[in-house]
Amino acid sequence: MPARVPPPSRPIGSATRGTTNPNRLRRMDRWIAAAHGAALRRAGEAPVAVDLGYGAAPWTAVELLDRLRTVRAGARVVGVEIDPGRVAAARPYEREGLAFAHGGFEVPLPGGARPALIRAANVLRQYEEGEVAAVWRRLCARLAPGGLLVEGTCDEIGRRHVWVALDAAGPRTVTFAARLGSLERPSDLAERLPKALIHRNVPGEAVHTFLRDFDRAWAAAAPYAPLSARQRWIRSAQTLRAQGWPLADGPRRWRQGEVTVRWEALAPRG
């Protein structure tokens, strides 16, 4: 049996709605495996990843373990939920490398272990924008050296997703990811912006300017649409880079329906 995590005396945070579906976080997981896989392989024995606020069913934690083990065989996952009923419901799914714990933003792990990865999807959406920075700092302080926090929002079936990647120094990048066949224009992703950015999608803010430029690049790339939505997306990303947007990825990730931008280019103003 997996080692049981002692429950915290007072979990920090609030319960989410708990909505979840199988494969909802596949785009985020795929990106984590590509972007953080090397760090997981360099990590110590059996690095731990946390699925924070996994919801009413444990599917996303189960899937995270399977996907991380494609890049690091000894990876472990702990699903952390503030609702004790959800933890009890998840316990039958525990197996080697997978455990569930009652807790919140304090991220309780056996022996005070520090995770190599914290994934928090659709958790901060219910919080106020002014609360986000403090939660980010708290979660990043729990990371192991070289660890990564990935925090963002997606739709109910994982077609559209935007997330921020952070380390001990703070936010690093913002990734926009979509099932391209379902996308009319890149700014459709605006409704999935994480809490730190969703209220900043207004004129004068960098994220608004970025999405405007992305839409214009997408429109200009319309001649590529007969080839595929993927080719149109790649051409749009090339245009963004040529315009000076600091993209942190390239064609290999663009072909997956992703574009990753340096955080400082989109950070809120004021």
Side-chain angles (χ1 to χ4, degrees):
M1 288 289 292
R4 286 292 170 87
V5 181
S9 57
R10 195 164 17 167
I12 299 169
S14 303
T16 64
R17 289 188 306 154
T19 306
T20 190
N21 283 299
N23 269 327
R24 186 181 189 186
L25 303 183
R26 62 194 180 278
R27 299 182 192 283
M28 181 183 273
D29 290 351
R30 183 174 60 196
W31 182 88
I32 288 170
H36 199 50
L40 290 172
R41 288 188 290 272
R42 291 192 301 268
E45 183 179 353
V48 179
V50 169
D51 186 10
L52 183 63
Y54 57 84
W59 319 134
T60 60
V62 173
E63 292 165 354
L64 180 61
L65 178 65
D66 292 340
R67 289 164 183 157
L68 291 183
R69 286 195 164 179
T70 66
V71 295
R72 176 61 195 265
R76 296 176 290 149
V77 169
V78 177
V80 174
E81 250 296 337
I82 203 166
D83 182 336
R86 295 173 184 173
V87 178
R91 284 266 158 81
Y93 295 87
E94 289 186 333
R95 57 183 169 91
E96 186 275 322
L98 178 63
F100 296 92
H102 178 220
F105 295 140
E106 74 284 0
V107 190
L109 293 177
R114 298 173 69 186
L117 169 73
I118 299 174
R119 185 187 66 183
N122 306 300
V123 172
L124 295 187
R125 186 83 170 198
Q126 68 185 19
Y127 289 80
E128 297 297 324
E129 180 185 356
E131 298 176 277
V132 171
V135 172
W136 280 357
R137 287 192 297 270
R138 178 182 291 276
L139 295 178
C140 286
R142 289 287 293 117
L143 292 171
L148 192 71
L149 165 64
V150 182
E151 185 272 310
T153 305
C154 69
D155 66 2
E156 286 74 12
I157 58 174
R159 294 173 303 174
R160 300 174 184 178
H161 207 153
V162 187
W163 60 81
V164 181
L166 307 93
D167 60 17
R172 294 165 38 187
T173 59
V174 183
T175 298
F176 299 80
R179 181 180 182 275
L180 298 179
S182 71
L183 202 67
E184 183 175 348
R185 60 181 64 86
S187 63
D188 290 348
L189 288 163
E191 65 184 15
R192 300 302 166 184
L193 287 167
K195 195 67 178 190
L197 293 173
I198 193 165
H199 300 301
R200 302 299 182 133
N201 186 29
V202 293
E205 290 284 350
V207 68
H208 182 271
T209 303
F210 174 76
L211 289 171
R212 181 203 64 192
D213 287 356
F214 207 166
D215 277 354
R216 290 175 177 174
W218 180 257
Y224 290 83
L227 299 176
S228 68
R230 176 181 293 176
Q231 291 301 316
R232 187 177 183 182
W233 180 269
I234 290 171
R235 182 63 181 183
S236 301
Q238 291 170 339
T239 298
L240 290 171
R241 174 164 284 167
Q243 291 173 343
W245 287 102
L247 304 189
D249 53 5
R252 179 175 296 182
R253 302 313 308 168
W254 300 341
R255 282 193 286 270
Q256 302 297 324
E258 301 169 8
V259 166
T260 298
V261 191
R262 299 288 180 193
W263 167 260
E264 58 269 21
L266 303 185
R269 296 171 178 169

